[in-house]
């Protein structure tokens, strides 16, 4: 053991299983024109306005980025009707998750995390020496808000809510959200990770930012440019919270955590109403198509409020088998075994032709299993 001083809680971490790049998969399997519907990315590409803005900004890469993200914060503040001081910009919202955990969790402190939910929460809590207190989702895959409140103890510092929840696509209702916030003690911080907020169609969805304005002084709402705006590769997300909490997160972050291209692209993407509209329409129509096609195949799935959903591949095959068979046919999906869901794969809505390819190939695999 050369590096025996590495703390055991770091040694024990199971690394996040990332999806493979398409090029690598194609090279390994000797296939072409494969489609990736595994990482909830925007299938229509990147906001064209963002691309235009990035081109212009390329000339100023000799300069450090604006460490205060002045223009982006002002733009977001106006959009959400909050003060620029209540915003924190991150290198993706994943960086904000890390900053929050570094700010609040010391070894032995606890974060309440639902399961199945986004794997990054517990991995990052572990990296800080914290403990994840896991609350199972209920049978219908909704959040067990009572269970969460009951689990709050002396060492509880954070409660993570992914709303809509990745990977189930389910949401917390307005009633449950308000119920939860009312019962969380002031010193415990609720993280409302709203990465897929823009895709939600339900009227019963609570927008965390409204609750922040009303009262909650212990709430951080996370949003991202990775999904709706197609900027996952550039890394930019943000948190909306109180000025006090934003001030703490600002102390922990690197001064230049968000690069120039990301800041510029994010501002332009917010103005790209046409791209947003196209993306949302593609998502709605894609979901309709996929739901109907799967129903015809007698395959069950979890209806979603996001741009992805869980497809039950059992009893015909395991998630691993589905993943591997689809991969060989050039369709990259997410095997949910690492989330403890060995009967499910997760797919995101693709372009119409990507959706059709998935249905066609999945249908052929099914035929060999019936
Ligand atoms: C995709 C996703 C994010 C976005 O992370 P970024 O770091 O902003 O790319 C955040 N939370 C959840 C639950 C996600 O699925």
């Amino acid at each position: 053991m050369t590096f025996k001083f590495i703390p055991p809680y770091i040694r024990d971490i199971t690394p996040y299983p990332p999806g493979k790049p398409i090029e690598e998969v194609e090279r390994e399997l000797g296939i072409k024109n494969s489609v990736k519907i595994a990482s909830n990315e925007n299938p229509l590409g990147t906001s064209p306005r963002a691309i235009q803005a990035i081109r212009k900004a390329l000339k100023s890469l000799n300069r450090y980025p604006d460490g205060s993200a002045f223009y982006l914060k002002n733009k977001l503040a106006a959009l959400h009707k909050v003060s620029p001081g209540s915003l924190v910009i991150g290198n993706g919202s994943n960086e904000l998750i890390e900053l929050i955990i570094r700010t609040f969790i010391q070894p032995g402190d606890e974060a309440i995390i639902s399961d199945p939910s986004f794997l990054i929460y517990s991995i990052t809590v572990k990296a800080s020496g914290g403990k994840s207190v896991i609350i199972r989702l209920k049978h219908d895959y909704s959040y067990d808000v009572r269970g969460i409140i009951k689990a709050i103890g002396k060492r509880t510092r954070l409660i993570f809510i992914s709303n809509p929840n990745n990977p189930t696509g389910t949401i917390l209702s307005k009633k449950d959200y308000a119920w939860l916030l009312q019962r969380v003690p002031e010193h415990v911080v609720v993280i409302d990770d709203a990465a897929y907020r823009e895709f939600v169609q339900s009227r019963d969805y609570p927008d965390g930012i409204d609750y922040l304005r009303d009262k909650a002084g212990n709430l951080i709402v996370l949003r991202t440019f990775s999904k709706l705006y197609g900027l996952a590769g550039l890394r930019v997300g943000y948190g909306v919270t109180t000025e006090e909490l934003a001030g703490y997160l600002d102390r922990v972050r690197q001064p230049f955590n968000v690069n120039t291209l990301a800041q510029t692209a994010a501002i332009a993407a917010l103005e790209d109403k046409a791209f947003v509209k196209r993306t949302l329409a593609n998502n709605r129509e894609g979901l309709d198509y996929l739901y109907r096609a799967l129903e015809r195949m007698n395959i069950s799935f979890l209806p979603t409020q996001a741009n992805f959903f869980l497809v039950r591949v059992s009893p015909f095959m395991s998630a691993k088998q589905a993943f591997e068979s689809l991969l060989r046919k050039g369709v990259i999906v997410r095997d949910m075994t690492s989330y403890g869901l060995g009967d499910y794969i997760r797919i995101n809505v693709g372009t119409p032709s990507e959706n059709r390819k998935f249905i066609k190939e999945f249908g052929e695999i099914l035929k060999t299993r019936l």
Side-chain angles (χ1 to χ4, degrees):
M1 279 236 280
T2 314
F3 302 108
K4 61 184 178 214
F5 298 117
I6 292 178
Y9 56 79
I10 302 269
R11 233 179 255 288
D12 286 353
I13 293 174
T14 313
Y16 180 73
K20 271 190 199 172
I22 294 186
E23 296 76 11
E24 184 60 16
V25 172
E26 291 190 339
R27 198 184 56 77
E28 281 176 11
L29 297 174
I31 52 176
K32 279 201 173 71
N33 303 320
S34 58
V35 304
K36 183 181 175 206
I37 49 170
S39 301
N40 308 343
E41 295 149 343
N42 192 323
L44 304 184
T46 298
S47 149
R49 283 201 180 209
I51 293 176
Q52 228 175 16
I54 289 167
R55 284 220 177 84
K56 271 201 209 150
L58 285 173
K59 287 194 291 285
S60 56
L61 287 182
N62 57 319
R63 306 285 177 201
Y64 278 99
D66 170 13
S68 67
F70 180 84
Y71 294 108
L72 178 54
K73 276 191 189 171
N74 276 331
K75 182 107 199 154
L76 289 168
L79 179 71
H80 294 304
K81 304 189 174 62
V82 297
S83 68
S86 57
L87 293 162
V88 195
I89 316 293
N91 190 252
S93 52
N94 273 267
E95 190 201 17
L96 296 169
I97 293 168
E98 187 172 4
L99 293 178
I100 293 164
I101 288 167
R102 290 224 323 263
T103 303
F104 289 97
I105 298 279
Q106 297 185 47
D109 288 344
E110 294 174 1
I112 298 177
I113 296 171
S114 291
D115 180 58
S117 191
F118 198 34
L119 292 181
I120 295 290
Y121 308 144
S122 51
I123 294 176
T124 315
V125 165
K126 202 161 186 187
S128 278
K131 192 179 147 213
S132 296
V133 174
I134 304 293
I135 306 296
R136 299 283 307 167
L137 297 182
K138 295 198 287 196
H139 281 304
D140 60 357
Y141 294 103
S142 64
Y143 272 91
D144 180 6
V145 284
R146 278 171 202 283
I148 291 173
I149 293 297
K150 265 205 250 157
I152 297 174
K154 274 210 299 285
R155 299 299 298 263
T156 307
R157 301 291 178 266
L158 303 172
I159 298 174
F160 281 93
I161 301 284
S162 164
N163 196 28
N165 186 42
N166 181 3
T168 55
T170 45
I171 57 167
L172 214 63
S173 67
K174 282 181 179 162
K175 190 165 144 248
D176 279 353
Y177 193 85
W179 191 92
L180 182 84
L181 285 187
Q182 268 165 19
R183 281 162 185 80
V184 175
E186 273 179 356
H187 66 278
V188 173
V189 174
V190 177
I191 296 100
D192 171 352
D193 182 351
Y196 303 95
R197 191 258 168 276
E198 300 95 338
F199 296 101
V200 172
Q201 299 186 54
S202 166
R203 287 167 182 273
D204 196 20
Y205 176 80
D207 188 321
I209 297 172
D210 296 335
Y211 294 77
L212 202 59
R213 266 196 301 266
D214 293 348
K215 75 153 204 98
N218 55 345
L219 175 63
I220 304 175
V221 180
L222 299 182
R223 300 280 293 264
T224 182
F225 288 91
S226 296
K227 309 285 156 60
L228 176 67
Y229 298 104
L231 288 170
L234 207 50
R235 316 303 304 128
V236 53
Y238 60 100
V240 193
T241 181
T242 63
E243 297 202 354
E244 185 191 2
L245 285 179
Y248 289 122
L249 299 180
D250 247 346
R251 287 173 170 82
V252 183
R253 72 176 175 90
Q254 295 283 323
F256 303 117
N257 61 331
V258 185
N259 72 73
T260 305
L261 302 183
Q263 291 187 36
T264 314
I267 294 168
L270 287 171
E271 289 164 358
D272 202 339
K273 299 277 189 314
F275 184 71
V276 166
K277 204 171 152 191
R278 262 201 300 135
T279 299
L280 294 180
N282 181 71
N283 197 61
R284 279 192 308 269
E285 289 156 19
L287 284 176
D288 279 351
Y289 166 79
L290 289 165
Y291 286 177
R292 250 178 263 172
L294 290 169
E295 273 162 11
R296 270 198 302 273
M297 296 154 81
N298 280 322
I299 291 293
S300 54
F301 55 87
L302 253 72
T304 185
Q305 291 295 326
N307 63 345
F308 60 82
F309 62 101
L310 292 178
V311 178
R312 190 178 169 90
V313 292
S314 142
F316 310 104
M317 60 195 110
S318 68
K320 188 162 179 279
Q321 288 165 336
F323 167 78
E324 281 167 2
S325 318
L326 282 163
L327 192 61
R328 261 176 261 123
K329 289 173 172 285
V331 182
I332 308 168
V333 302
R334 193 77 172 185
D335 169 3
M336 296 311 287
T337 308
S338 59
Y339 283 75
L341 297 169
D343 290 342
Y344 290 89
I345 55 169
R346 192 192 64 202
I347 60 167
N348 64 258
V349 175
T351 60
S353 75
E354 288 171 340
N355 298 336
R356 282 194 299 272
K357 175 159 171 124
F358 164 71
I359 291 295
K360 176 175 163 278
E361 305 295 0
F362 186 50
E364 279 177 18
I365 293 164
L366 264 180
K367 264 188 231 150
T368 68
R369 300 262 167 186
L370 291 175

